[in-house]
Amino acid sequence: MLLRATPPHTFTHTLHATSDPQPLRVWICSQRARSVKMPSYSWLLALYLAALTGNTDGAVARESTERNCSSTPPSEYIAPRDARLAFMTGFTGSAGTAVVTLNKAALWTDSRYWVQAERQMDCNWELEKDVSISSVAQWLISEVPKGDEIGFDPFLFSLKTQEDYNINLESSDRSLKSITENLVDKVWKERPSVPPDSLTRLPDRVIQRTWQEKVEHIRTQMGDSPYKPTGLLLSALDETAWLFNMRGNDIPYNPFFYSYTLLTMDEIWLFLHMERVTEELKVYLNASCEGALCVQLKGYDTILDHLKNYVTRPGVKVWIGTEYTNYALYEVITPQDKLLTSSYSPVLTTKAVKDETEQQILRDAHVRDAVAVIQFLMWLEKTVPEGNQTELTAAEYVDKCRSKQKDSRGPSFGTISASGPNAALAHYSPSKETNRRLTVDEMYLVDSGGQYLDGTTDITRTVHWGKPTEMQKEAFTRVLMGNIEISRTIFPSGTRGVNMEMLGRRALWEVGLNYGHGTGHGVGNYFGVHEWPVGFQSNNIPFRAGMFTSIEPGYYKENDFGIRIEDVAVVVPVQTKYGNNYLTFDTVSLVPYDRKLIDTSLLSSEQLHFLNKYYETIRSMVGPELDNQGLREEKDWMLRNTEPFAEIGSSASVSSSSLTLIALAVALLHNIV
């Protein structure tokens, strides 16, 4: 699945009235939203702005999910209770920033959603098309009088977002002011509640490290730090879920739950919605005792007060990961000598390296997932020529195939099912308005994934059921070459993905083609399909053995077709002739590529050999699972589509050469006779 650059995924708040003379006049709300036509509530929000007294002439709120910078990376998905932008504006696109003053309301969103926003918003709203923070800041400067302050919800701002706004406003005699109760929530009387479902713990069969072992390991890292932190604050939802081997269902497609953790060398505080903790979970967490391995359960909304109290203790120093800590928590850790920062917390960097059990079960999940995708592709091959399938029916069917597999927990994201020109939109998502019928005359791209109790999957295949053009075949083959070149590369341990990312583009660059998205992202174990901080971007951490990443080069011809080939791979050690500390990738996605789209004349002998070895792996790993599930027809389909390609120097090539040699020998003998 594509990873897009998006605002941080974050959460809720508490109003602080102030006695300063200036009134609040502006509220800015940014989020990822969902989809239903709604009336505009900008006028009601403006009334709250007018009623507030305080030192703010404006307020800025950034939205994602409840109260923290929640999942990593910033999620495409939010809970229904967090769809504030949709409630306030009527706009249901997945990204946007809204600003409300006493007199005006404006929305910023990118080009994917301009038409949608204009259709869904009423006349109270202006649409702004430059989505940069500098654009929002310039608008604020033009609308907010000098000397006034612009309020914002600090629970929904990352440190970097707050800093970027400050930089853009600092010379304008206007500044930001934290307001810890979200004003949208004040007017949203029917805001959905937190899901009532109880939280769960992972079964022992998918766990190698207990939560107690993880806590002790993280404490060891805290103790080894030369800066001697006394506490570690965890804001990202997957940090707490990983640490305690727990899961929830608060965020669509992501098994997370609203939470914070404050871990010290001798205490553990877990902040969550208490009513969702069963007696069994309390026993599991040792919640009834006091001690270094006893979890003290606290209400989710008490995190700010508890953190304030903790930092008043003498000699404390709180370690935070700046990428995923919200500004509300950061600003109460004062003075600065009580703060220790790193880009990522030790929990995130530790979680990025899967242990032996996690590696094996994630591989197992991909075998079962391959069965589902093979069923899906075979079904498409049979039914598309009949003319009855669409992007939406295909998306539904691939989810249905996965749901039949062992330990299925639903899709890991909304399926990208795209035919013809729709596939040229890299972030396309099918809808009733855009739904396109699948035909044998167009290329079809499907990017989908599943959540399983033992792993998370993400795979993209591009196919053509008719006769592709030469340009389509060349583009597909060059994308495949990029996938193979990254997958087969050998590199020193500690190499950053950004330093090898160009391998995925080189074959395309050679003919003047390229793609405009990232080349890969980390993948979790029954976690987020985009798991930070692994991947090929500049802010990802160096690769180490045991990390899982997607590898997904592509090419998109505007208004015509789109190609992406995505596999998940695990980083593994490799023996070299002279060095030992080297790594490579082992592909764990196990679904063949469309043979009719591969021009083998473009592939090097090494690439052909890699492709054939990959197909051997599919046969040996997926074949037995197809047998176990009694899927004879699907196995035949898999065997046909994993037939080896002729390699230079292979028996197939040699046999052809042998015919020439034999003919030459016969001619020579004839001449001698």
Side-chain angles (χ1 to χ4, degrees):
M1 180 189 181
L2 291 182
L3 178 61
R4 33 183 182 237
T6 53
H9 186 232
T10 36
F11 290 88
T12 53
H13 345 279
T14 30
L15 181 62
H16 289 177
T18 61
S19 56
D20 292 338
Q22 300 168 17
L24 171 67
R25 304 187 189 193
V26 184
W27 177 262
I28 303 181
C29 177
S30 163
Q31 85 161 29
R32 320 202 145 281
R34 304 181 332 122
S35 158
V36 222
K37 180 75 174 175
M38 300 180 189
S40 166
Y41 283 86
S42 59
W43 60 272
L44 190 52
L45 188 57
L47 290 179
Y48 270 91
L49 290 171
L52 275 175
T53 56
N55 67 339
T56 45
D57 232 294
V60 182
R62 237 180 137 76
E63 177 171 324
S64 280
T65 333
E66 257 291 73
R67 198 160 180 158
N68 6 13
C69 287
S70 60
S71 65
T72 55
S75 173
E76 287 81 6
Y77 302 102
I78 59 171
R81 67 183 275 102
D82 301 314
R84 296 179 178 90
L85 194 64
F87 166 78
M88 190 168 70
T89 69
F91 168 65
T92 60
S94 67
T97 298
V99 180
V100 177
T101 73
L102 293 174
N103 305 309
K104 286 188 178 182
L107 172 81
W108 283 254
T109 191
D110 63 70
S111 58
R112 292 174 294 159
Y113 298 116
W114 290 345
V115 173
Q116 179 181 342
E118 288 173 340
R119 287 175 179 171
Q120 291 182 319
M121 296 191 305
D122 65 21
C123 58
N124 289 295
W125 290 90
E126 299 175 2
L127 176 62
E128 301 289 338
K129 297 182 177 182
D130 180 351
V131 296
S132 65
I133 286 179
S134 62
S135 170
V136 180
Q138 286 304 310
W139 191 93
L140 287 167
I141 291 169
S142 69
E143 297 295 330
V144 176
K146 283 188 175 183
D148 285 353
E149 292 179 307
I150 300 160
F152 72 101
D153 177 354
F155 282 104
L156 304 184
F157 267 50
S158 70
L159 275 60
K160 187 176 188 309
T161 300
Q162 193 274 347
E163 179 184 5
D164 287 347
Y165 271 106
N166 261 346
I167 290 172
N168 280 276
L169 293 170
E170 64 183 354
S171 61
S172 70
D173 195 20
R174 298 162 182 86
S175 58
L176 296 179
K177 173 67 179 179
S178 294
I179 299 177
T180 54
E181 184 169 36
N182 191 292
L183 300 186
V184 178
D185 296 348
K186 297 285 289 183
V187 301
W188 193 356
K189 299 304 181 185
E190 297 181 0
R191 185 185 177 208
S193 59
V194 174
D197 313 56
S198 298
L199 306 180
T200 60
R201 54 158 295 191
L202 292 175
D204 291 340
R205 64 184 173 90
V206 298
I207 296 172
Q208 178 171 318
R209 293 170 286 183
T210 66
W211 70 259
Q212 292 91 336
E213 290 172 326
K214 290 180 177 180
V215 164
E216 294 292 16
H217 181 63
I218 298 302
R219 281 174 170 160
T220 297
Q221 294 186 59
M222 293 167 63
D224 290 343
S225 169
Y227 304 102
K228 301 304 177 186
T230 62
L232 173 67
L233 178 63
L234 305 179
S235 289
L237 300 190
D238 52 345
E239 291 179 306
T240 289
W242 176 86
L243 186 65
F244 295 108
N245 293 326
M246 290 171 57
R247 298 294 187 270
N249 66 344
D250 295 358
I251 315 300
Y253 305 112
N254 295 273
F256 305 142
F257 55 96
Y258 297 133
S259 58
Y260 291 102
T261 297
L262 180 57
L263 174 67
T264 73
M265 301 304 283
D266 51 16
E267 291 178 289
I268 309 169
W269 293 286
L270 172 56
F271 302 86
L272 73 179
H273 293 283
M274 299 280 288
E275 66 276 10
R276 306 178 66 192
V277 182
T278 64
E279 290 301 318
E280 180 185 0
L281 266 183
K282 290 178 182 178
V283 172
Y284 167 73
L285 294 169
N286 296 333
S288 60
C289 64
E290 293 184 5
L293 290 175
C294 299
V295 179
Q296 300 179 49
L297 301 178
K298 302 292 181 182
Y300 177 72
D301 293 324
T302 67
I303 175 63
L304 194 60
D305 290 338
H306 194 93
L307 182 61
K308 286 179 180 177
N309 290 334
Y310 179 72
V311 297
T312 62
R313 298 182 184 182
V316 303
K317 185 185 290 286
V318 181
W319 189 354
I320 66 169
T322 57
E323 291 288 328
Y324 299 107
T325 300
N326 61 57
Y327 189 77
L329 301 184
Y330 168 81
E331 67 178 342
V332 303
I333 305 174
T334 56
Q336 284 290 305
D337 62 3
K338 292 196 172 187
L339 180 68
L340 171 62
T341 64
S342 57
S343 294
Y344 305 108
S345 78
V347 166
L348 279 185
T349 54
T350 301
K351 178 169 65 70
V353 179
K354 314 305 185 206
D355 61 37
E356 292 178 359
T357 297
E358 290 170 330
Q359 291 182 45
Q360 185 56 55
I361 63 176
L362 193 47
R363 287 177 180 271
D364 294 342
H366 276 84
V367 172
R368 302 195 305 279
D369 195 72
V371 170
V373 178
I374 286 170
Q375 286 181 296
F376 169 68
L377 292 176
M378 187 185 79
W379 173 79
L380 286 176
E381 193 174 278
K382 292 164 64 174
T383 61
V384 166
E386 298 171 0
N388 298 320
Q389 303 308 327
T390 67
E391 293 170 339
L392 286 175
T393 61
E396 291 168 1
Y397 196 82
V398 73
D399 288 347
K400 180 180 177 181
C401 291
R402 285 194 170 95
S403 70
K404 297 178 180 179
Q405 293 300 314
K406 175 186 173 185
D407 289 333
S408 173
R409 295 296 186 272
S412 56
F413 58 94
T415 297
I416 297 173
S417 174
S419 182
N422 285 346
L425 305 171
H427 300 117
Y428 173 78
S429 181
S431 66
K432 290 181 180 179
E433 293 74 26
T434 63
N435 190 27
R436 192 175 183 87
R437 189 170 300 280
L438 307 187
T439 78
V440 297
D441 300 318
E442 293 182 342
M443 296 185 80
Y444 172 69
L445 181 155
V446 57
D447 184 347
S448 66
Q451 290 285 11
Y452 301 90
L453 192 58
D454 49 355
T456 302
T457 68
D458 183 5
I459 185 171
T460 306
R461 289 295 181 263
T462 305
V463 297
H464 198 302
W465 299 290
K467 185 176 180 181
T469 66
E470 289 304 310
M471 198 280 175
Q472 288 173 333
K473 288 181 64 174
E474 179 176 5
F476 181 93
T477 304
R478 290 184 178 278
V479 171
L480 177 60
M481 292 163 69
N483 181 295
I484 290 174
E485 281 306 290
I486 291 180
S487 300
R488 63 183 288 270
T489 192
I490 294 173
F491 54 93
S493 179
T495 299
R496 291 183 177 273
V498 68
N499 294 332
M500 64 180 83
E501 196 257 6
M502 59 83 59
L503 294 174
R505 302 177 186 269
R506 185 169 60 186
L508 290 165
W509 286 353
E510 288 173 351
V511 292
L513 304 180
N514 203 356
Y515 54 94
H517 57 74
T519 299
H521 55 81
V523 178
N525 276 79
Y526 188 30
F527 261 135
V529 72
H530 289 159
E531 185 171 83
W532 228 242
V534 176
F536 294 88
Q537 299 191 38
S538 59
N539 57 348
N540 291 146
I541 61 177
F543 280 120
R544 291 172 53 196
M547 292 180 173
F548 282 75
T549 183
S550 71
I551 299 172
E552 49 182 305
Y555 171 69
Y556 309 89
K557 185 177 181 183
E558 188 175 1
N559 297 319
D560 194 349
F561 63 86
I563 298 166
R564 186 159 63 253
I565 300 173
E566 176 185 19
D567 294 305
V568 172
V570 58
V571 181
V572 295
V574 63
Q575 290 296 318
T576 63
K577 184 175 181 180
Y578 298 112
N580 295 321
N581 197 24
Y582 282 77
L583 304 171
T584 191
F585 296 105
D586 186 13
T587 304
V588 300
S589 301
L590 298 168
V591 177
Y593 313 117
D594 189 345
R595 297 178 74 87
K596 70 167 60 70
L597 286 170
I598 301 174
D599 181 354
T600 56
S601 69
L602 295 175
L603 301 179
S604 68
S605 58
E606 293 83 3
Q607 291 165 347
L608 267 173
H609 180 70
F610 179 93
L611 184 56
N612 283 336
K613 293 294 289 183
Y614 174 57
Y615 280 3
E616 286 178 18
T617 302
I618 293 176
R619 290 185 166 208
S620 64
M621 297 295 293
V622 183
E625 184 64 26
L626 290 166
D627 288 337
N628 291 340
Q629 296 188 30
L631 301 173
R632 183 67 237 176
E633 189 178 2
E634 285 81 354
K635 184 175 182 181
D636 290 342
W637 185 94
M638 181 272 290
L639 292 174
R640 287 196 307 273
N641 284 276
T642 53
E643 285 289 336
F645 292 94
E647 296 183 45
I648 298 172
S650 69
S651 57
S653 299
V654 170
S655 61
S656 175
S657 302
S658 298
L659 291 175
T660 304
L661 292 173
I662 291 170
L664 178 60
V666 170
L668 289 172
L669 288 171
H670 179 76
N671 289 336
I672 293 172
V673 173

